[in-house]
Amino acid sequence: AWDALGGEKRARLLDRAADLFEEHREELFSLCIREGGKTLPDAVLEVREAVDFLRFYASEARRQFARPLPLPGPTGERNELRLHGRGVFASISPWNFPLAIFTGLLAAPLAAGNAAIGKPAGQTPLIGALAVDLMHRAGIPTDIVQLAPGSGRVVGGTLTAHPLIAGVVFTGSTETARMINRTLAERDGPIIPFIAETGGQNAMIVDSSALPEQVTRDVISSAFQSAGQRCSALRVLFVQDDVADGMIAMIAGAMQALKVGDPRDLATDVGPVIDDDAKRALDEHLDELEKDARRIARLELPPETGHGSFVAPAMYEINALSDLNRENFGPILHVVRFAADGLGKVVEAINATGYGLTLGLQSRIDTVRDFVEQRARVGNFYVNRNQIGAV
């Protein structure tokens, strides 16, 4: 019945859900701050992106599902393509965008005429619960979108192994994506689609033509906003040797202005990481960097951060990207210097990591832009701006 409703009517319900998200934004801000540890500016951006997802997929429902799409054919014959929902999708989302990605991973299957079961991250179920409640209030039937909170191993594992699931959409770690992929391969029933966005060793390349003030602004926001816990957050900064000393010194100076503390405080720039397990892993990585890398800057944590999972924003110089064997999901920036004639090797090193989510470039030379754009194997390429918060 939901599939038969058609794209236009489903789009209206998604747009109504977007309206309700905006009407209830203060409640959503509050939950993002208290459950997800987000600062208020990040909570505002979170709600904006969730609304953006709802309205985008509503427009796609109108474009692709409102009427048959004509296809070419021989004279006297009419050929049409009609798109339909597949069934029930499992939508498994992460804690770092507990409203935006959670909403997007539900809105897409719903727009396409599917039912969807939303599994929020174990750390952020209240945000997911309010989002689904608002969808129900908008008129999307309770049979069509449902909440399945719980641990990933129990709830996520049960959903992905279920023979009646018609597809899985997922955002999270590469390790979990591989586990889901294996589960789907072993299950009985039809072969179903699995759409996954996973982590990445996101880099930014800075050449000698880049404006230092702009680089500093964009590096600080890319690496430390949201406590470095964005899918696209900057992890590794490549700086051309000729300008590295001055550029690094300016970034280190700007880091000193960051205020770490309670995310409810409007003056806070960097809040906590999501939980104690995340803090423990990041602290262990910082201990390794203290032994094997050169410390450029590491902020002192104020006394009030003794209660909570806070990690001090830090910047370390390493020898090569290959020194890192995994993504470190927090406010830690790694710096690598490269020679003026070594840009090709930098791009090769980034491609060799096997990750391809986000790459930034700071350069005022068009041929450099063209060179990197043609060779980098990434999904998002940002030039002369920060690499988070695309609108």
Side-chain angles (χ1 to χ4, degrees):
W2 177 252
D3 182 43
L5 201 60
E8 177 58 44
K9 290 181 179 176
R10 291 196 300 269
R12 283 184 218 151
L13 294 173
L14 290 171
D15 278 336
R16 175 62 185 141
D19 292 341
L20 287 176
F21 274 44
E22 291 183 320
E23 289 172 25
H24 290 263
R25 58 189 178 273
E26 287 88 357
E27 294 160 65
L28 293 166
F29 296 162
S30 178
L31 281 178
C32 287
I33 292 166
R34 293 184 294 129
E35 190 176 49
K38 291 182 174 285
T39 61
L40 182 57
D42 281 334
V44 171
L45 298 178
E46 179 92 13
V47 175
R48 183 188 72 183
E49 187 172 351
V51 169
D52 193 25
F53 269 131
L54 288 164
R55 299 204 191 284
F56 170 75
Y57 287 119
S59 73
E60 287 296 282
R62 289 187 177 96
R63 185 174 70 87
Q64 297 192 57
F65 293 85
R67 63 188 63 83
L69 305 174
L71 297 176
T75 302
E77 185 173 297
R78 186 173 70 187
N79 295 296
E80 294 176 343
L81 174 66
R82 297 170 188 265
L83 301 177
H84 288 278
R86 298 177 55 90
V88 181
F89 265 68
S91 299
I92 301 171
S93 57
W95 48 260
N96 65 323
F97 283 97
L99 181 67
I101 292 179
F102 178 81
T103 299
L105 293 187
L106 288 175
L110 292 172
N114 301 285
I117 300 173
K119 189 223 158 295
Q123 298 94 330
T124 54
L126 297 178
I127 297 167
L130 179 54
V132 169
D133 181 50
L134 293 174
M135 290 180 187
H136 290 160
R137 289 194 227 173
I140 299 172
T142 54
D143 286 349
I144 294 303
V145 60
Q146 296 204 2
L147 181 76
S151 75
R153 192 167 297 278
V154 175
V155 178
T158 302
L159 284 174
T160 53
H162 200 288
L164 294 182
I165 285 292
V168 177
V169 282
F170 168 81
T171 296
S173 72
T174 306
E175 294 80 8
T176 304
R178 290 196 179 111
M179 194 185 313
I180 294 172
N181 199 35
R182 286 193 292 268
T183 300
L184 294 178
E186 292 168 2
R187 67 192 276 283
D188 291 329
I191 295 170
I192 63 173
F194 174 41
I195 302 161
E197 182 216 344
T198 62
Q201 207 63 278
N202 306 315
M204 180 186 287
I205 301 169
V206 178
D207 74 5
S208 58
S209 73
L211 295 170
E213 295 85 357
Q214 180 176 302
V215 171
T216 300
R217 179 197 66 197
D218 293 342
V219 167
I220 292 292
S221 60
S222 298
F224 303 117
Q225 194 171 329
S226 304
Q229 298 176 114
R230 294 193 178 214
C231 315
S232 54
L234 172 59
R235 308 287 175 216
V236 184
L237 178 67
F238 288 90
V239 188
Q240 189 174 322
D241 259 337
D242 312 59
V243 295
D245 288 342
M247 205 80 78
I248 291 169
M250 185 176 286
I251 296 166
M255 284 178 65
Q256 303 305 313
L258 292 173
K259 184 180 186 304
V260 184
D262 188 337
R264 294 172 297 183
D265 184 348
L266 283 175
T268 296
D269 299 303
V270 181
V273 296
I274 190 62
D275 57 24
D276 288 340
D277 288 342
K279 173 178 166 56
R280 194 176 306 112
L282 291 164
D283 285 343
E284 287 173 4
H285 180 60
L286 286 168
D287 289 343
E288 293 169 6
L289 289 172
E290 284 290 333
K291 289 184 289 187
D292 303 329
R294 182 177 78 84
R295 184 203 287 197
I296 300 168
R298 185 171 174 179
L299 300 190
E300 292 289 327
L301 288 175
E304 63 265 25
T305 60
H307 298 286
S309 46
F310 290 87
V311 174
M315 178 165 58
Y316 286 80
E317 185 171 340
I318 59 176
N319 294 318
L321 180 57
S322 56
D323 291 355
L324 304 172
N325 54 23
R326 62 188 296 269
E327 183 183 16
N328 299 281
F329 211 74
I332 302 171
L333 177 62
H334 310 85
V335 179
V336 179
R337 297 171 187 249
F338 70 94
D341 61 354
L343 182 60
K345 291 180 180 177
V346 170
V347 177
E348 285 173 16
I350 293 167
N351 288 341
T353 64
Y355 295 109
L357 187 60
T358 300
L359 174 66
L361 171 68
Q362 298 273 345
S363 173
R364 287 186 287 170
I365 303 171
D366 282 347
T367 52
V368 170
R369 204 287 292 275
D370 294 339
F371 179 90
V372 176
E373 185 177 5
Q374 289 164 16
R375 288 163 176 77
R377 300 289 177 261
V378 294
N380 302 299
F381 180 42
Y382 296 96
V383 182
N384 294 333
R385 55 151 285 175
N386 68 31
Q387 60 192 63
I388 59 170
V391 182

